Amino acid sequence: MSAKADFGMIGLAVMGRNLALNIEDHGFSVAVWNLETPVMEQFVAQNTGKRFVGTKTLKEFVDALEKPRRIMMMIKAGKPVDAVLEQLKPLLDKDDIVIDGGNTHFQETRRREEDLRKLGVSFVGMGVSGGEEGARRGPSLMPGGSESGWKRLQPVLESIAAKTDSGPCVTHVGPDGAGHFVKMVHNGIEYGDMQLIAEAYDLLSRALGMSAPEIGSVFDHWNEGPLESFLIELTGKVLKVQDPETGKPLVDVVLDKAGQKGTGKWTAEIALDLGISIPTITAAIDARVLSSIKDQRVVASRKIRGVTPPPAGADDKEALVAAVHDALLCAKICSYAQGLQLIEAGSKQYGWNISMKEIARIWKGGCIIRAKLLDSIMRAYQGTPNLTNLLLDEEFENRVFAAQPAWRRAVALAQGFGIPVPAFSASLAYFDSYRTARLPQNVTQAQRDAFGAHTYERIDKPGAPAVHSEWLKG
């Protein structure tokens, strides 16, 4: 073979094949390999006339690539990645680049990056967001790894990424596992956002008696304002789809058990490790866990009594819909604030020097949490690069202050009706806790010292050593 391919793709499931097509669309020839050879052969046959090079073995695949090689893996995270890397390592040369585009835990990426660096090979953990359509038409990309690796990948990645008025939705996030860390937190924010939207739907449905298509129309309207986002737009469309079998809204016949693939759990775990509070995201994870025990909930619904909800006056419907809108906006801001604070903490812990403004910029297009709000987040970090928390930004503080009464009304409405809104409630508690100068943990610390001699610090002696008191004398 005389001409070598510009880029290599390992794994031709939906995401891998769509990314390969996207790359080829932008002027790069692509060598492809799949564990099941017939899958590769079918893909090449379906795309005759395009610049794809089908290969049957990994050696043939590596030999088909221009040096230094640029290789991307879109395969199942975990052991399969290590298995392919072990086969690849003897075939690679110094300065080759290998990208893992799956949802991999960032600590695994750090381990692999260090291992391949010893061979002179750049390993890049890259978050890819946008689903199947994003992969095909323009995703948001979050590559980590070395600066030199980024420079060689930049022409390809910038060409295939989603484009907004702020540029291509890709940036060099930072060294080793930074890219996968940011993608993990992105998914955590996504969990929170999806749960908040579901709670808004539930409130409008159960408290106000609105049908799914009616709520879909409300979401369409909301998508024209500050809540404009991919997920609001998507949900508006979903709520209007009719089930061909029953004639009901299709969403009404979907079983209320939500799945998860692990990135939300990882986000919660690392937040605990780094001492960052992410209650909105955690509430969303808990909500999915509770949804999974459907049989228990059905039994409990028959045996455990709740409140008798007060009737909502029809004349008040418009005001209550507006209150739910404001609650959703405020809670969404809190979810972003928590996730971004976690990214900042991870950046400091691992020395990644992540630009928060750049993260907001590359999330503006292609990714699942793309939203109008990200323009304001970019401005916040542009004005104050070391911003401690999004809620401290003047624009966001003004927004939340103005919407706060309606937010509280929406949560009170839910509680009055006995409708669970864990993410709305957790967001409000986070907001109130963050803005409170003195929390009741003085009692908690006194308890700890009383039963376990854990000591405490005195507010009237700042900086002095912690002390222990005998609380239970006599």
Side-chain angles (χ1 to χ4, degrees):
M1 185 186 301
S2 53
K4 301 280 189 178
D6 302 313
F7 199 89
M9 181 64 68
I10 293 176
L12 291 171
V14 175
M15 289 295 287
R17 76 171 50 222
N18 280 0
L19 283 165
L21 288 165
N22 189 352
I23 293 166
E24 198 276 341
D25 281 348
H26 286 86
F28 302 95
S29 53
V30 184
V32 293
W33 179 83
N34 195 78
L35 185 61
E36 295 83 14
T37 299
V39 173
M40 175 275 296
E41 291 174 332
Q42 183 185 41
F43 174 76
V44 174
Q46 287 171 343
N47 292 283
T48 13
K50 291 184 178 286
R51 288 158 295 181
F52 289 115
V53 180
T55 60
K56 295 182 179 180
T57 67
L58 275 177
K59 184 177 188 315
E60 187 183 343
F61 169 79
V62 169
D63 288 343
L65 290 166
E66 178 189 26
K67 296 182 181 181
R69 304 173 181 94
R70 294 176 289 192
I71 297 169
M72 184 170 186
M73 299 184 295
M74 286 303 294
I75 60 179
K76 187 177 179 182
K79 291 180 180 178
V81 175
D82 283 322
V84 171
L85 284 176
E86 285 307 306
Q87 295 175 68
L88 270 180
K89 278 180 354 187
L91 307 174
L92 297 175
D93 295 318
K94 187 175 180 294
D95 296 327
D96 286 350
I97 302 169
V98 180
I99 308 167
D100 174 13
N103 276 332
T104 293
H105 195 287
F106 77 98
Q107 292 288 22
E108 290 190 4
T109 300
R110 298 184 78 213
R111 168 179 61 80
R112 291 168 184 146
E113 192 274 339
E114 183 180 12
D115 180 51
L116 286 173
R117 196 184 335 131
K118 294 170 185 172
L119 303 175
V121 174
S122 293
F123 184 75
V124 175
M126 182 169 75
V128 179
S129 181
E132 299 174 22
E133 185 62 21
R136 184 67 186 91
R137 304 296 171 196
S140 174
L141 300 171
M142 297 152 251
S146 67
E147 183 70 30
S148 60
W150 159 245
K151 290 297 183 189
R152 285 215 59 239
L153 293 173
Q154 191 172 0
V156 179
L157 300 184
E158 286 189 345
S159 69
I160 69 168
K163 310 294 189 300
T164 72
D165 56 1
S166 298
C169 294
V170 59
T171 193
H172 181 223
V173 175
D176 56 72
H180 274 149
F181 186 94
V182 167
K183 177 57 162 58
M184 172 191 72
V185 178
H186 164 286
N187 285 19
I189 295 171
E190 180 184 311
Y191 271 58
D193 213 352
M194 292 174 71
Q195 176 64 23
L196 290 167
I197 292 170
E199 290 176 16
Y201 154 81
D202 206 24
L203 266 176
L204 298 178
S205 172
R206 293 171 61 187
L208 301 183
M210 298 174 68
S211 69
E214 283 181 299
I215 300 169
S217 295
V218 168
F219 281 14
D220 289 345
H221 175 64
W222 287 356
N223 198 50
E224 297 170 0
L227 281 174
E228 180 188 330
S229 65
F230 169 73
L231 283 171
I232 289 287
E233 179 185 6
L234 174 81
T235 311
K237 291 176 180 176
V238 163
L239 293 174
K240 293 178 181 178
V241 176
Q242 191 179 56
D243 176 27
E245 293 183 34
T246 63
K248 297 177 180 178
L250 183 55
V251 72
D252 288 350
V253 298
V254 175
L255 184 66
D256 54 320
K257 288 172 68 172
Q260 52 183 313
K261 291 187 176 178
T263 46
K265 175 186 168 188
W266 297 344
T267 306
E269 288 172 341
I270 193 64
L272 287 171
D273 290 343
L274 296 178
I276 300 298
S277 177
I278 57 165
T280 308
I281 296 168
T282 305
I285 298 166
D286 287 341
R288 293 197 189 190
V289 172
L290 273 164
S291 79
S292 70
I293 54 170
K294 172 72 173 178
D295 293 344
Q296 288 186 50
R297 289 187 291 109
V298 170
V299 171
S301 71
R302 297 178 186 136
K303 293 194 173 184
I304 302 174
R305 290 173 293 174
V307 297
T308 303
D315 57 336
D316 204 24
K317 183 174 178 179
E318 192 175 324
L320 290 175
V321 170
V324 176
H325 169 280
D326 286 0
L328 182 54
L329 178 62
C330 290
K332 185 183 179 79
I333 289 169
C334 285
S335 184
Y336 272 102
Q338 294 160 30
L340 291 166
Q341 194 167 42
L342 179 56
I343 291 174
E344 183 66 33
S347 179
K348 287 179 181 174
Q349 175 71 21
Y350 299 106
W352 288 329
N353 196 30
I354 296 173
S355 165
M356 306 305 290
K357 180 194 166 195
E358 273 290 275
I359 298 307
R361 184 188 70 76
I362 67 170
W363 284 352
K364 281 181 59 177
C367 75
I368 302 301
I369 62 170
R370 60 187 185 266
K372 187 175 183 178
L373 208 57
L374 286 158
D375 281 313
S376 299
I377 294 174
M378 274 185 69
R379 284 195 298 272
Y381 284 103
Q382 184 170 359
T384 312
N386 59 346
L387 184 65
T388 309
N389 188 295
L390 204 57
L391 293 171
L392 295 173
D393 174 71
E394 185 178 1
E395 180 182 344
F396 281 103
E397 198 280 330
N398 287 335
R399 280 192 185 199
V400 175
F401 179 74
Q404 191 180 150
W407 185 11
R408 297 184 188 281
R409 185 181 183 194
V411 173
L413 173 73
Q415 293 179 346
F417 274 77
I419 299 171
V421 285
F424 274 168
S425 302
S427 300
L428 184 55
Y430 172 81
F431 171 76
D432 282 334
S433 295
Y434 192 71
R435 66 179 190 84
T436 297
R438 184 165 170 81
L439 290 168
Q441 274 60 49
N442 55 317
V443 176
T444 306
Q445 200 60 18
Q447 292 169 331
R448 294 181 73 239
D449 191 48
F451 68 67
H454 292 289
T455 72
Y456 63 94
E457 298 174 59
R458 295 182 62 98
I459 60 173
D460 56 351
K461 297 178 182 178
V467 296
H468 165 64
S469 294
E470 293 297 331
W471 299 86
L472 307 178
K473 281 184 179 177

